[in-house]
Amino acid sequence: MELQHLKTFLSVADAGSLTRAAETLYLSQPAVSAQVKALEVELGLPLFRRAARGMELTAGGRELLDLARDVIHRADGITRMAERLRGDVTGTLRLGTTDCGYDLKLARMIGVTTDGHPDLDVRLVAGNSGQHVQGVLDHELDLAIVEGDVDDERLQAWRIGTSRIGVIGPAAWRDDLADAGWARLGEFPWIFQSPTCSYCVLLNRLNAEHRLQLKPQIQAEAYGEVKSLVAEGLALSFADLHDAAEWVEDGRLFIWPHYAYDMPVQLIASRSRTQEPAIARFAEVAQKVHAPTRRRKARTAGSVNGSAE
């Protein structure tokens, strides 16, 4: 059984389409179809059936899916161990990136990491913090940049910075909400990127700790969209205060003055993989690149309820 056939099987299952899987694998659609067919012949059972929206797994395909992932992960583990034993900084580093207000210095981190290591490729994967934590745990990502606390003992976290978070609203709401309390803010809808993004997690924790009823009602694809929709008068949200400053100055947003929270920005990896050369190299570079930010004295909120200011 060829590992490439299993990888193709997983790609089609994840994409739900031969065409999208072909794009991911940099293969032609006929090549992808042929590899799936070859695996089906070898196994003696169909893995997919065509549906209106693409390719759906059969019952047999669903049964084999997790086992196939485990086989590929173990095979990749042999390669990674060999790289570690050789000390090679090579291969493909899958890095989860987060759309947020904090300056991640992403280009510099990648540039310094790959300098002198021409056989190391970096593949960026966009998503929110919750998705990236799960991606690292599922071995779909090698590293990820996330916001918020990381408490899972299976993960190693390197803090690379702090994002000062506050509540933002449309500038037109300033007079109405400037002196309002949390209860009043609970009468308005809130907007976030997804239920697993760091800001929505913060909102839910505030609700639980203070018995609030802040409602995440609107979902946007990107952090920039969140600010734009808030400025248009649709909802409240959280934002990095430094990043929001320009929007406040030009009259698009206002910052509610009674709350601020220091949100950690962290690089994470599976604890069992921190000695792999490429991961260790990137983690070292990330800490050095962000060292000036990390040395800056930060006002620590201490808990999720932050401070009343």
Side-chain angles (χ1 to χ4, degrees):
M1 182 178 299
E2 295 188 28
L3 289 175
Q4 182 57 49
H5 291 174
L6 286 179
K7 291 180 180 179
T8 300
F9 163 58
L10 293 176
S11 293
V12 176
D14 291 340
S17 162
L18 291 172
T19 301
R20 289 194 293 271
E23 292 172 353
T24 301
L25 296 168
Y26 298 102
L27 296 172
S28 66
Q29 182 174 327
V32 170
S33 181
Q35 289 185 19
V36 170
K37 183 62 177 178
L39 184 60
E40 290 178 328
V41 170
E42 184 172 2
L43 295 175
L45 79 162
L47 300 173
F48 296 97
R49 58 172 169 266
R50 294 188 179 276
R53 295 187 177 182
M55 303 292 286
E56 292 183 352
L57 286 165
T58 62
R62 288 194 296 272
E63 288 286 332
L64 292 173
L65 189 62
D66 288 342
L67 181 58
R69 290 193 195 281
D70 186 60
V71 169
I72 294 301
H73 173 62
R74 290 175 182 274
D76 289 343
I78 294 174
T79 301
R80 291 194 299 267
M81 180 173 288
E83 291 172 350
R84 180 176 63 81
L85 293 171
R86 295 193 307 265
D88 292 346
V89 182
T90 61
T92 298
L93 192 67
R94 300 164 299 177
L95 173 65
T97 60
T98 301
D99 184 15
C100 63
Y102 181 77
D103 180 11
L104 297 176
K105 300 181 175 66
L106 191 59
R108 187 177 173 195
M109 285 193 292
I110 294 172
V112 175
T113 298
T114 56
D115 185 32
H117 302 286
D119 294 325
L120 176 64
D121 300 323
V122 179
R123 181 162 68 88
L124 303 182
V125 181
N128 64 59
S129 296
Q131 292 169 335
H132 286 337
V133 167
Q134 194 60 51
V136 171
L137 290 173
D138 291 342
H139 307 290
E140 295 173 356
L141 296 173
D142 304 306
L143 289 158
I145 300 169
V146 301
E147 290 183 299
D149 296 318
V150 177
D151 301 322
D152 196 308
E153 63 182 12
R154 294 170 293 177
L155 298 174
Q156 172 68 48
W158 299 273
R159 187 160 180 163
I160 60 176
T162 302
S163 184
R164 187 72 165 165
I165 303 300
V167 177
I168 59 171
W173 296 2
R174 181 191 305 274
D175 292 342
D176 186 23
L177 297 180
D179 296 323
W182 283 112
R184 175 67 172 138
L185 268 59
E187 299 175 8
F188 292 83
W190 289 66
I191 181 170
F192 297 97
Q193 289 175 255
S194 84
T196 59
C197 78
S198 58
Y199 292 173
C200 194
V201 170
L202 176 60
L203 180 94
N204 291 332
R205 290 173 63 182
L206 282 167
N207 279 337
E209 288 191 6
H210 299 288
R211 298 182 180 180
L212 303 173
Q213 294 184 347
L214 310 177
K215 302 178 288 294
Q217 185 174 348
I218 304 171
Q219 184 170 322
E221 286 294 321
Y223 174 71
E225 291 179 357
V226 171
K227 289 193 301 181
S228 295
L229 293 172
V230 170
E232 289 296 325
L234 294 183
L236 301 172
S237 191
F238 293 116
D240 178 284
L241 296 181
H242 177 76
D243 179 67
E246 181 180 346
W247 290 53
V248 174
E249 290 174 4
D250 66 16
R252 285 180 285 177
L253 297 175
F254 94 99
I255 295 172
W256 188 57
H258 306 295
Y259 176 80
Y261 172 63
D262 287 333
M263 177 87 76
V265 180
Q266 309 194 78
L267 178 71
I268 63 170
S270 174
R271 193 175 294 276
S272 64
R273 299 185 57 197
T274 55
Q275 298 305 309
E276 293 178 19
I279 291 177
R281 168 69 176 166
F282 193 93
E284 178 186 14
V285 168
Q287 293 173 89
K288 288 182 178 179
V289 165
H290 289 274
T293 301
R294 294 170 66 239
R295 283 197 295 266
R296 224 182 280 142
K297 185 176 180 180
R299 296 164 59 191
T300 304
S303 69
V304 72
N305 59 332
S307 58
E309 301 180 334

